[in-house]
Amino acid sequence: MLDSVRISLKVLNAAQLALIAAAALLLAWIGTAILGAGPATDGAQRAALTGARAFAEAVDAELHGSVADARTLALLLRPGDPALGEAERAALLRDWLALNPRYGDAALIGSDGSVRAAADPRRTGSSVARQPWFARARNAEIVIATNDGDETAPFDVILSLGLPGRSERIQLRAGPAFLEIGRRLRQALDLPDTIAFTVRGADGRVLAGTASTPWGEHRSASVPVQGGRELGSPGWVVTASAPPTAAVAGLPDGRVLGLALAVVGAAAALGYALGGRAAQPLQRLAAGEAGPDEPAVSPVREIAALTEAVAGRSQSREAALALAGTGLDRIKGRLQTFEAMSGWTCWEIDPETRRVVWSDVESAGTAASDHASDLSDLAAWFEPEDRALLDLTLDAARRADGPHDVVLRARAEGIDPAPEAERRVLVRFLREAGDGRRIHALSRAIGGGVSETPAGLNERRRDAVLRRVTDGIVHDFNDVLTIVLANLGTLRRRHGLNPEPARLVDAALAGAVRGAALTRRMLSLVRGEGETITECDVGASVEAALAFMQANVLRDVPVINRIPGDLPKVLCAERILEVVLLNLAFHFRDHGLRGFAIAAAEHLSEAETGFGLPAGPYVRLLIASGQHEPGRRARAPRPESLETVARLLAEIDAGWRLVSDGTAEEAFVAEIWLKATERRAEEPPLWQPALRVLLVESDGLVRASLAEALADLGHEVVQAASGEHALALLCESAAYDAMVADQSMPVMTGLQLAATVVERYPDIRIILASPHGRLPAAARQFLQLDKPFRPDDLAAVLSAAAPQVRAA
């Protein structure tokens, strides 16, 4: 064991005073340096935040630029043009990549996932249907997909060229240098070269930059990539790291340094002199000698050593406890901040001991306190019927990873408890990582609605998907009906048909019109749109409703329709009229009435009617039945059927008179008075002088049928398969009187094409074709044609455009 080192008290005192003087001078010098260190450190933090924001905005701009490049590439490839082969498209892709080196690959992908053309010839003919992004692309127009494990291609941009899931797609694969924009950003914002940028995907994978943490002290800031309304947030995060830029204070000059050394030396000499004078009594005390005026004392070296050891151990233990307490307080403060900001309450459950621990801020005032109770006390907070569900969810959380959600009802308390909907609590359980002995839980009240529950969110997603699928089905069905109406109308007009073929063609046309009404009802049902009072053709609506009623309600009951075809239109929604007739059919069936007859006539009332309706034109409907069928047992009557009829007709200000309800021996007789529209004056013939029409339709069969119908009307037709094709034809020659464009075209919609044509060629009259009520408000300035339409409807809208064309 080494001997202890002996230091003279005089030397020690001199060293102490010299160190004190040197420390004072050093602190003075450091203070002058620190005055500029704080702003410099703050400047490093601001520089990191500014760089992260600018980099995120630059990534947003690059992503939007990629979407624009994909649209440009779609116009170049012309997927709907059969004259362009796949080999030619592959050559075009390679030439385009040579001009855009920031992309590694590009491909045209079919709706079924097959690669139709690609810059890499090895990909042609392969399939991407099993790749994770393909399932998301069925319901999204634009998809940003990261590539796991491929550093040369960090992500792909996929653009649908039409309805998502039913059209071709353009896939652009970003190259390794796509996101290397740090150098340009530093030069543009005059940032130091020491700032480093890192881009991470939603799964934490590094897309650009380095994954390692910079060595030494750094200031960092993170900003999410927004994406915008068209793209949506891809979940990427941009992190910028910058070292502190505080400038080190320069060394003092020679004179100041010499003065400082002189001060330190003087302090050492003074300490040495004072230490020698004070050391004499201590030396005598340690040796046990007495001075002239001092009594003899015993040595104290052992006592001093023991005191120093005990004090050192006590200080070490107190420092460790204080450090641990500070860490626990910091963790608890973060949990309290999370609970206050999110509205969630945090729990910790030990299933083995059945103990539950949580924090309660309200009961302890400003300082939160921890509470512990048994698991049975937690279950007692909820309704008895829900406690079994709580136990099942806890057991599932113990057995499997991942969050487990459950909605429970808090127990009603008090004389006037809250409604059940206001006592609903969403609880989320998650097993602790590692051994999984503990379960963490989050809980919060979800109010009266269920929109925040997982079931409510899933229901909204299903509704959105159902609307999108229904829109696609209705669009295709309307195209089919348009083809049928156009060809049958052309056949009926062009060829003189005998009575029997003419009757069959008219029946087919009536069926197509009924199908158009069916698509409108389907859209209204799925979208949940309210009914508005619109003009309705009584004859067509009643005929369509009677066919449905006879097939599903009346069945073998004879039906008689005596509604003439020259009645004016009425102010009544077609759906309301169908519901009224359907309720009357239920009344007939339930009371065993034999026969359903309906007739109508136009009636002009010059005075106020007996229903309280004002004077004016009306269409009077008469509904009657036959006598009760003998020997037939009637069903249980539904009195609400006639009540529903009266209420519906009252909502649209229509008249309703029940002469006999058919419950007794008499037959059923009732009247309905519907407000009629004013008859329009005789219009000039629809056949206008020949117009030169530009027909823009992406579906080839629909385009050919409409071109045939327009030619049969005497017009000159030029066909275009897309908006880009139409603009190319207009560049060659703008001598067109009108343009008929379909709204639902891929890449460029009819409204987008119309906006471009109006700006460049204002003399061309534009007609937009779309299902009824599906055009946006911006399309009101153009003529509209509801799909499906007959050749007569097409002739009518062209006749409306012809006077303006001639005036121009």
Side-chain angles (χ1 to χ4, degrees), residues 70 73-74 77 107-109 157-159 161 168-172:
L73 185 57
L77 295 179
L108 174 63
I109 300 175
V157 178
I158 300 95
L159 171 68
L161 303 183
E168 289 85 358
R169 302 173 180 88
I170 292 295
Q171 180 188 23
L172 293 181

Side-chain angles (χ1 to χ4, degrees), residues 213-449:
T213 304
W215 183 83
E217 182 183 3
H218 278 70
R219 299 292 185 267
S220 63
S222 298
V223 176
V225 177
Q226 300 296 331
R229 180 184 302 176
E230 185 179 23
L231 291 175
S233 177
W236 299 356
V237 176
V238 176
T239 302
S241 301
T245 56
V248 179
L251 294 175
D253 56 12
R255 291 178 298 176
V256 175
L257 185 60
L259 178 61
L261 292 176
V263 172
V264 172
L270 180 62
Y272 187 85
L274 294 176
R277 186 173 181 180
Q280 295 177 0
L282 294 177
Q283 289 176 350
R284 291 194 298 270
L285 178 63
E289 300 176 353
D293 300 327
E294 299 174 354
V297 295
S298 60
V300 294
R301 294 179 180 178
E302 292 83 357
I303 298 176
L306 180 62
T307 302
E308 182 179 358
V310 172
R313 293 178 181 177
S314 176
Q315 291 175 358
S316 300
R317 184 174 63 254
E318 292 176 356
L321 291 175
L323 183 60
T326 302
L328 291 176
D329 291 340
R330 186 180 298 112
I331 295 174
K332 184 180 293 185
R334 290 176 179 175
L335 285 176
Q336 295 168 3
T337 303
F338 168 76
E339 292 180 355
M341 296 180 64
S342 65
W344 291 90
T345 301
C346 300
W347 309 77
E348 183 179 316
I349 303 173
D350 190 343
E352 296 182 358
T353 61
R354 298 186 63 82
R355 301 294 293 172
V356 181
V357 180
W358 77 97
S359 297
D360 189 0
V361 180
E362 297 180 357
S363 63
T366 57
S369 60
D370 290 340
H371 294 266
S373 64
D374 193 77
L375 185 59
S376 60
D377 297 334
L378 173 64
W381 290 357
F382 303 105
E383 292 288 348
E385 297 83 358
D386 293 350
R387 293 171 189 174
L389 182 60
L390 174 63
D391 294 338
L392 289 174
T393 310
L394 271 173
D395 185 64
R398 292 182 60 184
R399 297 175 182 273
D401 295 331
H404 299 265
D405 295 341
V406 62
V407 178
L408 305 173
R409 296 170 297 171
R411 190 175 58 187
E413 297 179 353
I415 301 176
D416 187 14
E420 178 180 334
E422 298 181 3
R423 294 185 282 111
R424 299 169 69 89
V425 179
L426 174 63
V427 186
R428 175 168 294 175
F429 298 98
L430 182 64
R431 185 175 65 179
E432 188 179 47
D435 56 3
R437 294 182 179 179
R438 290 182 175 84
I439 296 177
H440 299 281
L442 297 173
S443 66
R444 69 168 176 173
I446 60 176

Side-chain angles (χ1 to χ4, degrees), residues 78-113:
R78 302 199 301 275
D81 189 358
L84 189 62
E86 306 302 342
E88 298 176 354
R89 290 192 176 95
L92 290 175
L93 285 172
R94 288 190 290 270
D95 294 341
W96 187 84
L97 285 179
L99 298 176
N100 297 269
R102 64 175 183 165
Y103 297 106
D105 193 12
L108 174 63
I109 300 175
S111 58
D112 58 349

Side-chain angles (χ1 to χ4, degrees), residues 332-690:
K332 184 180 293 185
R334 290 176 179 175
L335 285 176
Q336 295 168 3
T337 303
F338 168 76
E339 292 180 355
M341 296 180 64
S342 65
W344 291 90
T345 301
C346 300
W347 309 77
E348 183 179 316
I349 303 173
D350 190 343
E352 296 182 358
T353 61
R354 298 186 63 82
R355 301 294 293 172
V356 181
V357 180
W358 77 97
S359 297
D360 189 0
V361 180
E362 297 180 357
S363 63
T366 57
S369 60
D370 290 340
H371 294 266
S373 64
D374 193 77
L375 185 59
S376 60
D377 297 334
L378 173 64
W381 290 357
F382 303 105
E383 292 288 348
E385 297 83 358
D386 293 350
R387 293 171 189 174
L389 182 60
L390 174 63
D391 294 338
L392 289 174
T393 310
L394 271 173
D395 185 64
R398 292 182 60 184
R399 297 175 182 273
D401 295 331
H404 299 265
D405 295 341
V406 62
V407 178
L408 305 173
R409 296 170 297 171
R411 190 175 58 187
E413 297 179 353
I415 301 176
D416 187 14
E420 178 180 334
E422 298 181 3
R423 294 185 282 111
R424 299 169 69 89
V425 179
L426 174 63
V427 186
R428 175 168 294 175
F429 298 98
L430 182 64
R431 185 175 65 179
E432 188 179 47
D435 56 3
R437 294 182 179 179
R438 290 182 175 84
I439 296 177
H440 299 281
L442 297 173
S443 66
R444 69 168 176 173
I446 60 176
V450 296
S451 60
E452 296 185 13
T453 64
L457 295 175
N458 289 335
E459 184 177 356
R460 288 209 300 268
R461 294 192 193 101
R462 286 195 300 269
D463 290 343
V465 172
L466 179 60
R467 290 184 180 183
R468 184 170 298 175
V469 172
T470 305
D471 286 344
I473 295 174
V474 169
H475 177 265
D476 291 344
F477 194 56
N478 279 333
D479 281 346
V480 172
L481 292 176
T482 301
I483 295 170
V484 172
L485 289 171
N487 285 281
L488 289 179
T490 303
L491 176 65
R492 185 78 165 80
R493 184 181 301 102
R494 183 177 298 177
H495 305 283
L497 300 178
N498 295 327
E500 184 63 20
R503 183 181 63 82
L504 296 177
V505 170
D506 291 341
L509 289 172
V513 172
R514 186 180 301 173
L518 177 62
T519 60
R520 290 196 298 270
R521 288 196 298 271
M522 183 186 301
L523 283 177
S524 300
L525 178 63
V526 173
R527 293 181 174 272
E529 298 172 347
E531 291 291 345
T532 57
I533 298 179
T534 57
E535 294 184 4
C536 168
D537 188 343
V538 177
S541 300
V542 170
E543 184 178 1
L546 288 180
F548 174 81
M549 290 158 47
Q550 192 167 18
N552 298 278
V553 181
L554 300 175
R555 298 194 180 277
D556 57 343
V557 175
V559 175
I560 301 175
N561 183 5
R562 291 291 185 266
I563 296 181
D566 58 347
L567 291 176
K569 291 187 177 182
V570 296
L571 297 177
C572 173
E574 183 179 8
R575 188 177 177 185
I576 291 181
L577 184 57
E578 292 174 351
V579 174
V580 167
L581 295 177
L582 186 60
N583 277 274
L584 292 177
F586 283 134
H587 182 79
F588 278 42
R589 183 198 64 183
D590 295 343
H591 289 82
L593 298 174
R594 186 65 177 173
F596 186 100
I598 182 170
E602 185 177 3
H603 183 81
L604 179 61
S605 178
E606 299 180 355
E608 184 175 343
T609 65
F611 310 100
L613 301 177
Y618 291 91
V619 171
R620 178 185 176 191
L621 297 179
L622 180 64
I623 299 97
S625 72
Q627 297 296 329
H628 291 271
E629 183 176 358
R632 180 175 179 178
R633 184 178 179 182
R635 301 191 182 191
R638 297 183 183 181
E640 62 270 14
S641 297
L642 296 181
E643 295 175 1
T644 302
V645 170
R647 186 165 57 252
L648 287 173
L649 294 176
E651 290 178 358
I652 61 173
D653 297 329
W656 164 251
R657 175 183 296 167
L658 182 61
V659 180
S660 173
D661 60 0
T663 56
E665 297 298 330
E666 296 84 3
F668 178 90
V669 179
E671 288 184 73
I672 299 176
W673 288 52
L674 300 174
K675 182 70 175 177
T677 60
E678 297 289 342
R679 286 188 178 272
R680 297 180 177 87
E682 289 294 330
E683 298 180 353
L686 298 179
W687 321 116
Q688 299 293 335

